[in-house]
Amino acid sequence: MKAFRLDELEAERAANEGAYLQFLRERNMSVGLYALDAGEHDPQQPHGQDEVYFVVSGRAAITVGLETTEVARGSVVYVPAGVAHKFHHISEDLRVLVVFSPPEA
């Protein structure tokens, strides 16, 4: 078993001064914590893997392809591989668990 605490992951991510912390990598998937502060720009480019976002905290909008929706704590969003996507209009600091399948390269 591997178990994680969000507060510890957030502290590690912040200590490494990056927006993304991959904390689990297995044969068929990887999982990370992605953080964007209120008003920040999301620099993401399309990925070669399918993704699932689970919003842990914060508020924003996300555009996936041509569709846009509001997200907040508890929201889950699927992004197919290769599709352009960005969080925007981030009104509260955003913390998101990201699952990549297959694992992020």
Side-chain angles (χ1 to χ4, degrees):
M1 176 204 285
K2 296 178 183 177
F4 305 92
R5 292 179 42 110
L6 280 173
D7 57 343
E8 293 171 355
L9 294 171
E10 175 63 13
E12 183 179 348
R13 185 206 57 78
N16 289 321
E17 298 180 0
Y20 183 72
L21 171 71
Q22 179 177 280
F23 61 89
L24 179 66
R25 184 178 180 85
E26 297 295 333
R27 186 171 53 89
N28 293 317
M29 64 174 229
S30 61
V31 184
L33 177 64
Y34 190 45
L36 294 166
D37 291 337
E40 198 170 350
H41 168 75
D42 183 1
Q44 290 192 80
Q45 298 296 319
H47 306 283
Q49 306 84 3
D50 288 341
E51 295 177 79
V52 173
Y53 289 118
F54 173 74
V55 178
V56 175
S57 63
R59 291 188 174 281
I62 185 170
T63 298
V64 178
L66 300 175
E67 297 180 86
T68 298
T69 191
E70 300 291 320
V71 294
R73 186 175 141 221
S75 297
V76 178
V77 177
Y78 167 69
V79 180
V83 175
H85 57 286
K86 296 237 189 261
F87 289 100
H88 51 93
H89 295 93
I90 302 167
S91 60
E92 295 176 13
D93 292 354
L94 194 61
R95 299 300 181 264
V96 181
L97 287 178
V98 185
V99 179
F100 287 100
S101 182
E104 184 181 33

